[in-house]
Amino acid sequence: MTPEIIALLIFTLTYLLFISELVHKTVAALIGAMLMVAYGILSYNEIGSTIDYKTLTVAIGMMITINVVKKSGLFEYLSIKAVKITKGNPTKLMVVIVLLSTLISTFFSNITSTLILGTLVISLCHMLDLDFVPYLVIIAISVNIAGLLTPISSLPNIMVSAAAGLSFGDFGLNLLLLGILLLASTIIFFMFFFRKTLTKRISREEIDRLKQLDENKEIKNKKLFTRSCIILGLIVFFFLIQDVTHIGNEAIAIAGAIIMLLLSSADPEEMLSQVQWSTIAFFIGLFIVIGGIEKVGLLDKISYLLAEHISSLLSAMFLILSGSAISSSIVDNIPVTAVLLPILKNLNSILNISGNFLFYPLIAGVAIGGNITPIASPANVIAVGLAEKNKKRISFGYFMKAGLFLSLLHMIISTLYFSAMIYLQFGSL
Amino acid sequence: MGDNNDKEFLDEFDIDVKRLIKHLVQFIVIIILFNILSTFFRGKTILLFEEIISLEIILLILFGLLSLPLVGRLVADTRILIALLSSFIIKRFPGMTQEVHPLIRIFRDIVYIIILFLVSVPAIPLFSQYMVFGYHVTHIVSLLLLALLVVFLYDLSKNIFQLTHGHLKEAAAHFLKIMDKLNKKK
């Protein structure tokens, strides 16, 4: 067997292990990495060059920062405050939940965001005698969509921005409007789709119960709360003025984390132990596997093959958008991004495209794809799990009915958006 | 629990092997009988429908027709035996006893097939280095891997059938309904 075939077999094995859930995804990625070295596809000296340290630095930095913020109770405080504004109106509550999901998932991982909001929403729905199942679906879908807004709002974004050098400004300029359009369409879609739950009348007693919620109770440590708010604000500020300072995402994320540990009075030992090291190991394994197939030239071949069949930028955009959406509905969006990133880098140079345009449909595609099935993203799995824990069921069909239609709508909006972007940036379709 | 399953398997396996051996013996007897009888007819011909035909060929056709049901039984016995053996072997592999969606099961089968290929790459040349035993060990290892490959391929096909069977049935029923409606309209 040639090294090309062996590398392809190892790559397929790793991805099938992800899909089949035969072993934990981190173990699967590490098995793939080990095989790449054991079969001589990569030497020990080459391993280092395959790992994207910028991605790892941003991920670790943000995880430390978020661990401290989580301990302060800031987002729980904000959630209760926002929910109280709705005065128990189910439609207003849905809009607030979509907005809160967007805000929280900008900083937290999808899993944490769904857990924070999901737990809050279940207790709120019990209080208002509402069915919490639609709200859990709303949270999962909003969290996935909000993942495309900033370079730190999802792990695939961290990878793309590290590889393509995208800043907060680039995201704001190229994806913010799309994000707003998608979220607005999501709200309208939910209003129609969950109209039964959203038009329920809430009694005065139920509203009174809601008013009794005390957001201040969520602040466990006032000193930690104030300091983490200030430092998080500063980190966001530095991300926003990145195009002026030219400081990389990784530098801001890790410096922010160190300052947070230094000034927040949180226990560094505890905060560091709460970093999702399994995700970091997963990244390392995945980078080595991708490095292996890149070394034997498989990704170059795929890029040239694609370039031969791509007739215009419009077709390239549609292929990337739909391809990434469909594949990330089957496989976790991190491995999808990992394999598509080097292909897109090659395509960019083969097709001689100026700028980073091709990376934006990828970011949108993996975010949209996460909504198609209840197993397509960790947020969906958590939402389903939360429902089961509270003796309700979100069936595969129920989730897909909402997710699939919404994803199709999002695909149409994204295609139109990126077509307009091509026309404005490159002068023709 | 596991021991009970193994005992059940051994009992079933015993019955199936006995049945297979019985049919195999019957088949061998027919072949021997044919060989003995054919010696009497060797070189002899008969005029049938104005054609000269060898009696040996007529005997072969007759025996062929007679043994056809037996061959069918032999194939069926072998299929049952393979199914039994494959489920016995496959459940020894991690993750293959879990109740999962057939699609996930298909992916798991492919995972094990790829592992077999990856194991064969270093394993076969590794043993062939040893002059005396190497040749035989390589053969044994190759056969073992091949047997496992057949088992996983069988399981894979079974799962693909399971996955598509229901849908195909539904599609066929749906198609029949449409045809029925069209016929009624006519």
Side-chain angles (χ1 to χ4, degrees):
Chain A
M1 266 195 249
T2 62
E4 265 188 9
I5 294 175
I6 294 176
L8 184 66
L9 279 178
I10 297 170
F11 170 77
T12 317
L13 175 77
T14 313
Y15 274 63
L16 282 176
L17 283 174
F18 292 152
I19 306 170
S20 66
E21 291 163 2
L22 199 57
V23 289
H24 187 275
K25 65 177 183 176
T26 305
V27 181
L30 292 176
I31 287 173
M34 181 191 74
L35 290 176
M36 283 290 180
V37 180
Y39 280 84
I41 308 292
L42 287 169
S43 67
Y44 281 110
N45 296 333
E46 285 169 324
I47 294 175
S49 61
T50 61
I51 298 167
D52 185 352
Y53 294 102
K54 279 186 183 175
T55 301
L56 296 186
T57 315
V58 176
I60 295 172
M62 286 316 293
M63 281 175 193
I64 296 172
T65 306
I66 291 318
N67 285 339
V68 180
V69 177
K70 202 165 122 187
K71 213 174 155 57
S72 74
L74 169 67
F75 286 106
E76 285 84 351
Y77 171 85
L78 283 177
S79 304
I80 294 175
K81 204 142 182 105
V83 161
K84 277 172 107 174
I85 298 169
T86 67
K87 287 176 185 158
N89 180 313
T91 311
K92 278 185 192 166
L93 183 66
M94 183 269 287
V95 176
V96 163
I97 283 171
V98 172
L99 296 176
L100 273 174
S101 308
T102 312
L103 175 76
I104 297 178
S105 65
T106 303
F107 302 102
F108 282 131
S109 73
N110 283 0
I111 299 173
T112 319
S113 311
T114 316
L115 272 174
I116 291 176
L117 283 170
T119 321
L120 175 76
V121 154
I122 290 172
S123 57
L124 271 176
C125 286
H126 282 317
M127 217 177 272
L128 300 171
D129 196 25
L130 283 169
D131 181 13
F132 60 79
V133 168
Y135 287 101
L136 284 180
V137 176
I138 289 167
I139 292 170
I141 288 177
S142 312
V143 158
N144 290 331
I145 289 302
L148 66 81
L149 287 173
T150 72
I152 53 161
S153 54
S154 72
L155 289 169
N157 289 14
I158 293 177
M159 291 167 84
V160 178
S161 47
L166 302 179
S167 64
F168 254 68
D170 293 321
F171 269 76
L173 210 64
N174 298 293
L175 289 168
L176 185 66
L177 182 62
L178 176 66
I180 293 169
L181 285 173
L182 294 185
L183 285 170
S185 64
T186 307
I187 291 173
I188 296 165
F189 177 84
F190 286 150
M191 278 177 173
F192 170 75
F193 197 82
F194 295 123
R195 59 186 178 281
K196 229 180 187 176
T197 309
L198 299 181
T199 48
K200 190 189 171 274
R201 281 191 162 272
I202 305 294
S203 67
R204 183 133 298 278
E205 297 94 69
E206 284 163 349
I207 297 169
D208 286 342
R209 253 182 275 161
L210 182 73
K211 276 181 188 166
Q212 281 164 10
L213 277 176
D214 185 9
E215 61 271 23
N216 292 316
K217 269 187 188 165
E218 296 300 323
I219 306 167
K220 286 125 196 162
N221 182 340
K222 202 128 193 172
K223 194 172 144 194
L224 182 69
F225 179 82
T226 322
R227 287 183 181 185
S228 60
C229 278
I230 295 168
I231 300 166
L232 186 68
L234 277 173
I235 293 172
V236 174
F237 175 71
F238 272 99
F239 271 126
L240 289 174
I241 58 159
Q242 218 178 355
D243 288 335
V244 182
T245 58
H246 298 291
I247 304 172
N249 290 346
E250 65 285 359
I252 298 173
I254 204 72
I258 295 167
I259 294 167
M260 192 68 108
L261 284 177
L262 189 74
L263 301 177
S264 68
S265 75
D267 178 18
E269 196 94 30
E270 189 193 338
M271 294 301 112
L272 283 169
S273 69
Q274 281 172 9
V275 168
Q276 294 160 23
W277 292 111
S278 71
T279 307
I280 303 300
F282 172 64
F283 268 130
I284 294 172
L286 200 60
F287 285 139
I288 298 172
V289 173
I290 302 296
I293 53 162
E294 208 172 357
K295 194 196 164 190
V296 294
L298 271 172
L299 295 183
D300 284 344
K301 278 186 184 166
I302 296 171
S303 311
Y304 279 105
L305 199 78
L306 282 175
E308 272 175 29
H309 291 88
I310 287 171
S311 53
S312 64
L313 206 51
L314 189 73
S315 57
M317 175 274 291
F318 188 70
L319 190 76
I320 298 164
L321 184 69
S322 52
S324 53
I326 294 167
S327 36
S328 62
S329 70
I330 307 164
V331 193
D332 189 348
N333 55 13
I334 299 170
V336 172
T337 313
V339 74
L340 286 177
L341 260 181
I343 294 176
L344 292 191
K345 266 188 182 174
N346 287 342
L347 262 184
N348 229 10
S349 58
I350 297 167
L351 298 171
N352 208 10
I353 301 164
S354 59
N356 292 312
F357 173 75
L358 289 183
F359 296 101
Y360 299 120
L362 169 69
I363 295 166
V366 291
I368 294 168
N371 285 333
I372 298 176
T373 66
I375 51 159
S377 97
N380 307 355
V381 178
I382 294 292
V384 172
L386 276 175
E388 269 169 22
K389 217 172 147 188
N390 289 278
K391 292 174 182 110
K392 286 251 179 166
R393 192 167 164 260
I394 302 177
S395 71
F396 207 92
Y398 180 83
F399 191 98
M400 256 191 99
K401 226 196 264 174
L404 191 66
F405 280 121
L406 193 62
S407 300
L408 280 173
L409 179 69
H410 285 166
M411 281 294 288
I412 295 167
I413 294 171
S414 305
T415 308
L416 292 172
Y417 176 85
F418 286 122
S419 305
M421 205 168 143
I422 293 171
Y423 187 75
L424 291 172
Q425 268 188 25
F426 302 94
S428 69
L429 293 173
Chain B
M1 186 81 180
D3 287 347
N4 273 343
N5 284 342
D6 287 355
K7 200 180 168 301
E8 254 172 50
F9 162 78
L10 285 173
D11 291 345
E12 219 174 311
F13 186 74
D14 198 35
I15 297 164
D16 282 325
V17 169
K18 274 180 189 161
R19 199 190 303 139
L20 180 71
I21 290 171
K22 190 180 115 191
H23 290 144
L24 208 64
V25 169
Q26 284 173 350
F27 188 63
I28 291 167
V29 168
I30 286 178
I31 290 172
I32 293 168
L33 216 70
F34 167 74
N35 261 320
I36 295 167
L37 280 174
S38 65
T39 51
F40 295 110
F41 295 100
R42 198 156 293 157
K44 289 178 181 164
T45 55
I46 188 173
L47 192 70
L48 202 72
F49 307 117
E50 294 172 7
E51 288 279 340
I52 299 165
I53 299 168
S54 157
L55 274 176
E56 220 180 325
I57 288 177
I58 292 174
L59 193 73
L60 180 71
I61 293 167
L62 270 172
F63 267 91
L65 287 172
L66 273 173
S67 57
L68 213 60
L70 204 61
V71 173
R73 262 185 231 159
L74 270 175
V75 171
D77 290 342
T78 320
R79 201 195 68 81
I80 293 168
L81 213 64
I82 289 178
L84 208 65
L85 264 174
S86 83
S87 69
F88 179 73
I89 295 169
I90 276 185
K91 72 177 183 193
R92 315 269 137 182
F93 288 85
M96 300 308 265
T97 43
Q98 282 174 353
E99 289 254 336
V100 287
H101 191 271
L103 195 65
I104 300 283
R105 193 55 198 267
I106 289 169
F107 289 136
R108 290 185 179 182
D109 279 321
I110 303 172
V111 163
Y112 280 111
I113 290 169
I114 294 175
I115 291 173
L116 286 177
F117 275 110
L118 286 173
V119 168
S120 73
V121 174
I124 292 170
L126 184 80
F127 295 116
S128 60
Q129 291 169 18
Y130 304 99
M131 295 299 279
V132 190
F133 308 105
Y135 179 76
H136 302 291
V137 176
T138 307
H139 266 249
I140 293 167
V141 171
S142 308
L143 280 174
L144 213 72
L145 291 174
L146 194 70
L148 281 175
L149 184 69
V150 171
V151 165
F152 278 108
L153 282 174
Y154 176 80
D155 195 56
L156 178 73
S157 328
K158 204 173 72 184
N159 288 319
I160 292 173
F161 177 76
Q162 231 177 49
L163 188 73
T164 52
H165 183 61
H167 296 296
L168 286 176
K169 253 185 165 173
E170 269 173 33
H174 189 67
F175 182 71
L176 279 174
K177 245 186 197 172
I178 294 170
M179 293 297 284
D180 228 30
K181 269 185 190 172
L182 284 173
N183 279 337
K184 271 179 190 170
K185 270 184 186 176
K186 275 180 186 175

